[in-house]
Amino acid sequence: MKIALMDSGIGLLAATAAVRRLRPDADLVLSLDPDGMPWGPRTSEDLTQRAVDVADAAAAHRPDALIIGCNTATVHALPTLRARLEPAIPVIGTVPAIKPAAAGGGPVAIWATPATTGSPYQRNLIRDFADGVSVTEVPCFGLAEAVEHAEETAIEAAVAAAAALTPEDVTTVVLGCTHYELVADRIRTAVQRPGFPPLVLHGSAGAVAAQALRRLGEQPAPGAAPSGTLTVLLSGREGPLPAPALAYEEGRLLQAISPAR
């Protein structure tokens, strides 16, 4: 089994690590776009074209499924990529985990990029899945960029700024950008209030990995032999994991995987 994941940068690490833990025997293809990142400021049309190019590079390696490891790319490019690749290659998007977060009753904060915060896309998800629950949308200025480059000082500052915008009574935080899952522990520490119950964080990586297996009719097999290989594509060119990836546990987990031959 071969599963490909795509993103402009290292936000796909969390979902990739989740796939690896569920199926250590699966070959992995990571398709990134260092030549075109960041995707967030691009127009929808431009972003979609970059996503198509990155997806095509992954598809050339004949994966059994493709995960879009990016919330923004899912919003803009999922219909195009599905029309282009399915049914031969199932395409799985990444959606903020608003539904399971709201099921806990709230109050809920959704940490997302400034472009996503307040967007019709996110507001529709809140309307559909969090009706009657107190939801605060928190724009996280510069956090994804800081995580992408593993800039510790910038990460701490961006997390602190977003925590200051998060109401004190929040019990649940939705990590609405895949990059944020790489610094989940720091987010928890910043938002947790003394005397309150443990904060609940909802990311998407585990659900996306499980959905990919379901689309393929496969079952988790975390005890399988770790025989899967790793291929990294950088704007279509084979290369190593970007150096900032190794600042995170998920990146170090993937570094230990044998490269495909």
Side-chain angles (χ1 to χ4, degrees):
M1 179 169 57
K2 183 183 290 185
I3 296 178
L5 299 96
M6 59 170 280
D7 189 4
S8 62
I10 63 172
L12 51 62
L13 288 179
T16 307
V19 172
R20 177 67 177 180
R21 293 182 180 112
L22 289 178
R23 289 299 298 256
D25 57 337
D27 294 332
L28 301 172
V29 177
L30 307 190
S31 190
L32 290 73
D33 187 25
D35 292 355
M37 63 178 287
W39 283 352
R42 293 179 177 273
T43 65
S44 182
E45 294 77 13
D46 191 17
L47 188 157
T48 297
Q49 185 56 58
R50 300 297 309 190
V52 165
D53 292 344
V54 169
D56 284 351
H61 288 256
R62 303 174 64 86
D64 298 299
L66 172 66
I67 293 171
I68 306 174
C70 173
N71 297 89
T72 301
T74 298
V75 172
H76 294 283
L78 179 59
T80 298
L81 295 180
R82 282 185 167 162
R84 187 176 184 86
L85 298 176
E86 292 187 343
I89 302 175
V91 179
I92 297 91
T94 299
V95 177
I98 294 173
K99 184 177 181 179
V108 173
I110 303 172
W111 281 35
T113 63
T116 299
T117 300
S119 66
Y121 165 74
Q122 184 159 291
R123 291 282 168 85
N124 287 339
L125 290 174
I126 294 169
R127 181 198 65 211
D128 293 343
F129 300 120
D131 186 40
V133 175
S134 174
V135 176
T136 301
E137 297 178 89
V138 177
C140 302
F141 294 95
L143 181 53
E145 294 80 3
V147 172
E148 177 68 34
H149 298 290
E151 296 173 344
E152 289 297 321
T153 301
I155 290 170
E156 294 299 329
V159 167
L165 299 176
T166 304
E168 290 194 1
D169 62 345
V170 157
T171 61
T172 306
V173 173
V174 175
L175 304 178
C177 171
T178 54
H179 281 81
Y180 302 170
E181 297 190 50
L182 301 177
V183 292
D185 287 344
R186 276 175 271 192
I187 292 172
R188 183 189 304 279
T189 298
V191 178
Q192 179 68 58
R193 314 297 185 190
F196 279 73
L199 188 73
V200 178
L201 299 184
H202 283 276
S204 301
V208 166
Q211 176 65 6
L213 294 184
R214 283 194 292 270
R215 289 287 303 273
L216 293 174
E218 297 281 352
Q219 296 294 322
S227 56
T229 61
L230 178 67
T231 300
V232 178
L233 305 173
L234 305 173
S235 297
R237 308 175 298 272
E238 289 199 34
L241 278 172
L246 305 183
Y248 306 103
E249 177 185 352
E250 294 86 347
R252 294 189 292 272
L253 171 68
L254 300 179
Q255 186 187 34
I257 302 176
S258 299
R261 299 298 180 187

